[in-house]
């Protein structure tokens, strides 16, 4: 693996993924969508489903795209599907299964119910990630985004141990493993309040449609 490090005055390190199939994009689409009542990943805005929007963005910077899903609805999308290997304890189960069953060294994780994640945001995350660590976006408010993050495959054994220990909170896992924060700031051109708009209910979806109509 070839690492190109660039240490700035702020002591940030960046690295480029140079090896074939080194960075995989993972879309977590395995949720049951109980509050929505139907599969959120197939909801559409501007003619595209959430999952289509995210695959388009990830394809710009990732060598491979994998969908983490336990649903038959995703099998004809044209991408590799990985089912949860262990009991479905939420996003953490999908991440662990993808790390175990794919050959990539790094995984850019996004959730299917956040369709407004921009390509610029994902490029920023990739540019400011640190080799060998989980690198996660941190909003200006200090809120950590475990589902907009890059995970190294090497973290897999620790993740399994964490799950078997009965804790399924990703934020706890990130903190225990000394994750690298990739901080957003007001001066970033792509930064806006709707980047992480999360769709869980029909009301959320209606609000999303209003947001996208204004663009």
């Amino acid at each position: 693996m070839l690492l190109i490090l660039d240490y700035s005055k702020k002591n940030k390190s960046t690295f480029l993924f140079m090896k074939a199939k080194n960075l995989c994009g993972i879309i977590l689409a395995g949720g049951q969508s109980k509050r929505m009542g139907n599969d959120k990943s197939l909801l559409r805005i501007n003619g595209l489903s959430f999952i289509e929007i995210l695959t388009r963005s990830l394809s710009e910077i990732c060598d491979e795209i994998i969908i983490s899903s336990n649903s038959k609805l995703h099998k004809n999308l044209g991408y590799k599907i990985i089912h949860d290997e262990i009991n479905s304890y939420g996003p953490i189960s999908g991440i662990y299964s993808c790390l175990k069953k794919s050959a990539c060294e790094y995984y850019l994780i996004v959730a299917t119910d956040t369709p407004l994640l921009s390509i610029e945001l994902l490029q920023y995350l990739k540019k400011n990630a640190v080799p060998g660590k989980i690198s996660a976006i941190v909003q200006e408010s200090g809120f950590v985004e475990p589902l907009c993050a890059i995970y190294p495959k090497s973290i897999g054994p620790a993740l399994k141990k964490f799950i078997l220990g009965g804790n399924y909170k990703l934020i706890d896992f990130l903190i225990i493993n000394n994750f690298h924060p990739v901080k957003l700031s007001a001066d970033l051109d792509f930064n806006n309040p709707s980047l992480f708009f999360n769709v869980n209910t029909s009301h959320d979806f209606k609000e999303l449609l209003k947001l996208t109509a204004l663009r």
Side-chain angles (χ1 to χ4, degrees):
M1 175 180 177
L2 174 62
L3 296 179
I4 300 177
L5 300 181
D6 173 27
Y7 293 94
S8 68
K9 293 180 181 179
K10 294 182 179 180
N11 198 33
K12 289 182 179 179
S13 63
T14 64
F15 70 108
L16 302 178
F17 296 91
M18 304 296 289
K19 186 177 177 181
K21 292 193 175 181
N22 189 58
L23 178 64
C24 289
I26 304 295
I27 300 175
L28 298 175
Q32 298 180 30
S33 301
K34 289 182 178 179
R35 283 184 283 173
M36 177 62 70
N38 55 297
D39 194 321
K40 292 182 288 186
S41 69
L42 302 179
L43 294 174
R44 304 179 79 83
I45 50 175
N46 298 325
L48 294 173
S49 68
F50 288 8
I51 207 163
E52 287 174 324
I53 293 168
L54 291 169
T55 53
R56 287 189 177 193
S57 296
L58 289 172
S59 65
E60 294 290 325
I61 57 174
C62 296
D63 304 294
E64 181 182 359
I65 295 174
I66 297 171
I67 298 174
S68 170
S69 171
N70 300 307
S71 172
K72 294 179 180 179
L73 295 175
H74 300 133
K75 66 179 182 179
N76 296 320
L77 294 175
Y79 297 96
K80 181 177 181 180
I81 306 292
I82 292 182
H83 305 292
D84 289 353
E85 180 175 292
I86 54 180
N87 291 336
S88 295
Y89 297 117
I92 198 168
S93 298
I95 293 173
Y96 169 73
S97 299
C98 289
L99 263 61
K100 182 175 181 181
K101 296 182 180 180
S102 173
C104 296
E105 292 183 62
Y106 289 90
Y107 299 81
L108 200 169
I109 307 294
V110 298
T112 191
D113 54 10
T114 52
L116 299 186
L117 299 179
S118 67
I119 180 61
E120 293 83 7
L121 171 68
L122 301 179
Q123 289 172 332
Y124 178 77
L125 170 60
K126 178 179 176 180
K127 179 182 177 182
N128 290 282
V130 169
K133 281 192 169 188
I134 299 171
S135 298
I137 290 290
V138 178
Q139 296 193 46
E140 289 180 78
S141 64
F143 189 86
V144 181
E145 296 287 351
L147 300 185
C148 187
I150 292 177
Y151 291 68
K153 185 177 182 67
S154 59
I155 207 75
L159 188 57
K160 180 178 182 180
K161 183 178 179 180
F162 184 78
I163 294 170
L164 293 177
N167 191 340
Y168 314 122
K169 296 180 180 179
L170 274 171
I171 186 61
D172 290 349
F173 182 73
L174 265 63
I175 292 170
I176 290 171
N177 287 276
N178 192 28
F179 81 99
H180 172 67
V182 179
K183 298 179 180 179
L184 297 182
S185 58
D187 62 332
L188 293 168
D189 291 339
F190 63 82
N191 192 12
N192 68 76
S194 63
L195 275 175
F196 296 95
F197 189 89
N198 181 258
V199 178
N200 285 311
T201 66
S202 56
H203 174 74
D204 294 337
F205 183 52
K206 290 176 182 178
E207 291 301 310
L208 176 67
L209 292 175
K210 291 178 184 178
L211 279 173
T212 54
L214 294 173
R215 294 186 171 188

